[in-house]
Amino acid sequence: MTSTTWLIILLVLSLAGNAALAFRLVRTDRAALPPASVPTALAQSSGSNPELALSEDRLESVRREVTAAHELLRGRDLELSRVRALLKEAQEKSAAAAMQPAGLQQELHVARQRLRTLEGEVRGLARERDDARSDADGLKRRLAEAEAEGGTPLGPNALSPAIPRRLPLGRDATSDSSVDGADLGPLVVRAASVRGDRARREGEHRREAFLLRFVEEMRTPTLLSAVAAGVPHGRWSQSAADRACRNLAAQVARYGDTLGHQLYRPAGSDGDLTGLLRTALHGVAHSMRLVTRGEGPGGEPNDAAIGVALTGLLSRLGDSRQREHVAFGIGDGALMVLRDGVWSSVFTPGETAAERGLRLPAAAQQVRCARLTTRPGDLLALCSSSLADLLVRPEVGDWFAGRWAGRQPCLTSFLSEVNVPVRSPGGDRTVVCLWDFGDARETPPAES
């Protein structure tokens, strides 16, 4: 039995004992003190001192017994009060104990739900890992077959996603893929942009663009490379991305002489350089808003329809054992370097998740820039976030490194390699690759 049951039994026994004691005292008083016996005896034997003394002794004895009984009753009352206090405390503890399992049960339920969620995430990551390994194995197999048969990197019979099954829809649609490039002495550049798998399946248009432009306004020969990525569901994202690239070239040309001093002068200030680039991007933002002028609720430009992440690179041309570059941008683009067969990120316009979510034209004030140098044999890849994610995946990144390290592909081969059929989140792929061979005489011929 529980402690509460024992306390209730003890309380009942105490009450029964008190009742029995009270009944006994009443009987004792009636037997010891008859109502008329003592006065009668005293009246009849008023002159008998022995009987009077005996009666007084009996009366005193009865008084003592009554006093003792009262003391016993007070003790019983105290004991009963203590028992009641113990009973109340036991009831409170029992109520608290009854409530505690409910709280523990709720915590256990939440913990189990969290465990199920984590198990689902682990299973998803395992599937992605297995898919990546399967894709890498397929790529290696097709590459080996192509090299053995002398065909393209995808193999002579491979079904290349470069041939879409649907034309893009929408008034802002553009070509499915585009490619460009040039051999500028020791600096070889190739650029390509292709529509993502998801966009091809759903008939959406490509939303990314690139630009290669020789900056004539700078005294030192300089190449401007840019990659712009529109928001996935922006109605005019392709037009905005293309306009951002073209107007960036116009703004760099506008401030070309001043930018050249800040880029290549030994005493050039990074603060002044950032200020110039911020001014240029404000001009780019103003040009982008012309795409949707009058489409907002009050006739103003609709920034949500033209959001663009923009990443640019200014590279010094000519023979050089230490080539200087300045990377700048806003959003989630990236500048990767391939050195000694290993890819690493050397610049991202956004360091935090919030900064990577910034877009032009609204965030023109948030431009970031960084200086870097390359040495002969390095390969720089200025790319959108979707292709950057592929380059950091171990198997896929190794495949690209094996195809691009130390060689300059022809334009069609480069487009096929960017458009390689590997499973990805589905975004467009856009990249500008720059091979630095140091001196023009060390530049190998282009490969088909």
Side-chain angles (χ1 to χ4, degrees), residues 22-235:
F23 180 74
R24 178 184 174 186
L25 290 176
V26 171
R27 292 187 59 186
T28 303
D29 289 344
R30 289 178 179 177
L33 293 174
S37 61
V38 176
T40 304
L42 291 176
Q44 292 178 354
S45 58
S46 56
S48 177
N49 291 332
E51 294 180 2
L52 179 60
L54 180 61
S55 298
E56 289 178 352
D57 290 340
R58 291 180 60 189
L59 180 61
E60 184 64 26
S61 175
V62 170
R63 287 174 178 172
R64 285 195 297 268
E65 291 180 3
V66 170
T67 302
H70 284 303
E71 293 293 335
L72 181 60
L73 285 175
R74 281 196 296 271
R76 293 288 186 178
D77 289 339
L78 292 175
E79 184 178 358
L80 181 59
S81 299
R82 185 175 64 83
V83 170
R84 287 174 177 170
L86 291 175
L87 178 60
K88 183 177 180 181
E89 181 180 357
Q91 290 174 344
E92 292 176 352
K93 290 182 177 179
S94 177
M99 293 176 61
Q100 187 175 8
L104 293 176
Q105 190 71 18
Q106 181 66 23
E107 293 181 3
L108 181 61
H109 179 67
V110 173
R112 286 174 177 171
Q113 287 183 334
R114 178 59 178 164
L115 179 60
R116 284 193 291 270
T117 302
L118 292 176
E119 289 175 348
E121 293 177 358
V122 169
R123 286 193 295 270
L125 292 174
R127 284 194 297 270
E128 291 181 4
R129 179 201 60 196
D130 295 339
D131 292 341
R133 288 177 177 175
S134 176
D135 292 338
D137 292 340
L139 288 175
K140 292 176 181 178
R141 184 176 62 257
R142 285 193 294 271
L143 179 60
E145 293 173 355
E147 291 177 347
E149 299 179 13
T152 66
L154 301 178
N157 301 318
L159 180 61
S160 171
I163 305 176
R165 296 292 184 265
R166 299 176 60 185
L167 291 175
L169 304 176
R171 289 183 294 170
D172 202 38
T174 185
S175 60
D176 178 85
S177 307
S178 62
V179 64
D180 197 4
D183 296 345
L184 306 175
L187 192 66
V188 174
V189 58
R190 299 287 186 265
S193 180
V194 300
R195 191 160 50 131
D197 296 336
R198 179 189 57 78
R200 284 172 175 160
R201 289 194 306 268
E202 300 176 5
E204 296 184 359
H205 60 270
R206 178 165 54 90
R207 304 175 187 276
E208 295 183 355
F210 65 82
L211 173 113
L212 298 175
R213 188 65 52 85
F214 179 73
V215 186
E216 302 177 56
E217 291 75 13
M218 290 187 182
R219 298 180 181 179
T220 301
T222 301
L223 173 69
L224 170 64
S225 308
V227 169
V231 292
H233 300 290
R235 183 179 180 187

Side-chain angles (χ1 to χ4, degrees), residues 322-325 339 371-375 378 380 436:
Q322 291 276 329
R323 191 173 308 280
E324 302 172 9
H325 309 266
R339 178 175 292 172
R371 297 178 184 268
L372 63 141
T373 59
T374 54
R375 62 194 188 197
D378 287 348
L380 287 178
D436 184 1

Side-chain angles (χ1 to χ4, degrees), residues 184-187 316-323 438-441 443:
L184 306 175
L187 192 66
R316 187 170 188 172
L317 299 177
D319 292 345
S320 177
R321 310 306 293 181
Q322 291 276 329
R323 191 173 308 280
D439 296 325
R441 61 179 179 272
T443 306

